[in-house]
Amino acid sequence: MDDSETLVRRATEAFNSGKPDEAQRLCEQGLARLPGDPVLHHLLAAVLFSRNAVAPAHAHIDVSLAKRPANAAARLLAARIARSEGNFDVALAHIDSAIAISPQREFFVEKARTLDQAGLRAQARESWRAILNVIPGHQEAAARLGRLAWEDGDPATAASLLAQAAAPGAPASVWFDLAVARQDLRDHAGAASAYRKAFELRPDHAEAALNLGIAMQEGGDVDAAMRAFAQAYRLRPQLFGSIAMALTSASHGRLWLDEDGLRRALAS
């Protein structure tokens, strides 16, 4: 029969190999024999949380922390669980404890995310700036600072930061935010390029297709704009009103007096 250390090793290997069922079974097998083992409770909490079983994950990490309150990794997991539950004060308390135990970069990033999600904009901005100062190429920090700058009405700063974040591996949301900032600066070609990338990464992103059409139209390429509008319409027919407004109000638009005709053009 495997001892606790062997079970933990096997469960960790299973979890890291994408076998959460096996990892959970091994943890539960170990806890049946050693119900108070903090490492097994920690690992089982991680497995359960990865499977969106938040309440039982919370219960297991609490048991682990009761046995090992100074374990920084367990504090980080507890913070993530609390953040997913919307318990931001609890999450921040766990993160601050983790930082006091072992001030690692990952913990500071988690704190910035939590402050951001909690709507504490000034504190979140300060945290993201501190991360970007220490790690100049930190993609997430640049992306979040860029988004915050855009929300504050500073598209130039937003575009600069988001361009840093729009590196290989950046999600569609970063490219979309960069496109919006460029569009506000009337950089229609740059906006169109970023919208195309967002749409390439997320082919179901109807808003990216719609805004690509608007950017192409503002750049004077109405035929390309119509193709983008058609993609947006196919993905979400409810955008018809926005498409019609864009076509008739822009400087390079087209006047459509026949609504059915426009629908046929978009559908074809």
Side-chain angles (χ1 to χ4, degrees):
M1 183 177 290
D2 291 333
D3 58 21
S4 174
E5 185 176 338
T6 302
L7 278 170
V8 168
R9 177 180 55 76
R10 289 177 59 201
T12 302
E13 289 173 354
F15 183 55
N16 291 338
S17 300
K19 301 173 182 175
D21 288 339
E22 183 179 347
Q24 183 171 339
R25 179 184 62 78
L26 288 166
C27 288
E28 291 170 346
Q29 179 183 326
L31 287 172
R33 295 189 349 240
L34 299 166
D37 188 290
V39 180
L40 285 168
H41 277 290
H42 181 176
L43 184 53
L44 181 54
V47 173
L48 291 168
F49 187 53
S50 75
R51 310 183 80 177
N52 293 317
V54 177
H58 191 154
H60 283 286
I61 201 62
D62 281 351
V63 174
S64 182
L65 282 172
K67 297 281 186 176
R68 297 192 307 170
N71 185 275
R75 289 284 178 188
L76 178 62
L77 177 57
R80 287 174 172 162
I81 292 170
R83 177 162 66 89
S84 75
E85 296 172 319
N87 294 328
F88 301 119
D89 289 341
V90 173
L92 289 168
H94 281 304
I95 296 168
D96 287 339
S97 294
I99 290 171
I101 297 163
S102 177
Q104 300 177 36
R105 287 178 178 179
E106 184 181 8
F107 301 165
F108 290 99
V109 171
E110 182 63 25
K111 182 168 185 175
R113 288 173 183 153
T114 304
L115 290 166
D116 215 340
Q117 195 171 333
L120 301 171
R121 290 171 56 87
Q123 293 169 260
R125 185 184 290 105
E126 183 180 343
S127 291
W128 287 124
R129 280 178 181 159
I131 292 165
L132 199 60
N133 286 337
V134 175
I135 316 169
H138 197 283
Q139 194 174 62
E140 185 178 359
R144 287 306 304 149
L145 286 169
R147 176 70 188 189
L148 289 168
W150 180 80
E151 290 174 356
D152 289 340
D154 186 355
T157 298
S160 176
L161 287 162
L162 288 161
Q164 294 178 46
S173 59
V174 171
W175 289 99
F176 185 86
D177 286 348
L178 173 60
V180 171
R182 286 175 172 174
Q183 202 162 17
D184 283 353
L185 294 170
R186 304 197 65 75
D187 175 8
H188 303 306
S193 176
Y195 282 130
R196 282 195 198 93
K197 185 64 177 179
F199 192 66
E200 175 187 323
L201 291 169
R202 267 194 57 194
D204 64 339
H205 201 322
E207 289 83 359
L210 171 66
N211 287 7
L212 172 59
I214 293 171
M216 296 299 294
Q217 182 175 254
E218 290 292 345
D221 192 343
V222 182
D223 290 336
M226 282 297 294
R227 290 193 292 271
F229 287 143
Q231 288 177 314
Y233 180 69
R234 283 193 291 271
L235 286 167
R236 191 179 302 167
Q238 296 89 337
L239 290 175
F240 177 80
S242 299
I243 293 168
M245 183 176 295
L247 282 166
T248 57
S249 62
S251 54
H252 298 284
R254 290 175 175 172
L255 182 61
W256 290 86
L257 299 177
D258 181 0
E259 180 178 309
D260 290 336
L262 176 53
R263 289 185 187 275
R264 286 193 297 272
L266 293 171
S268 62

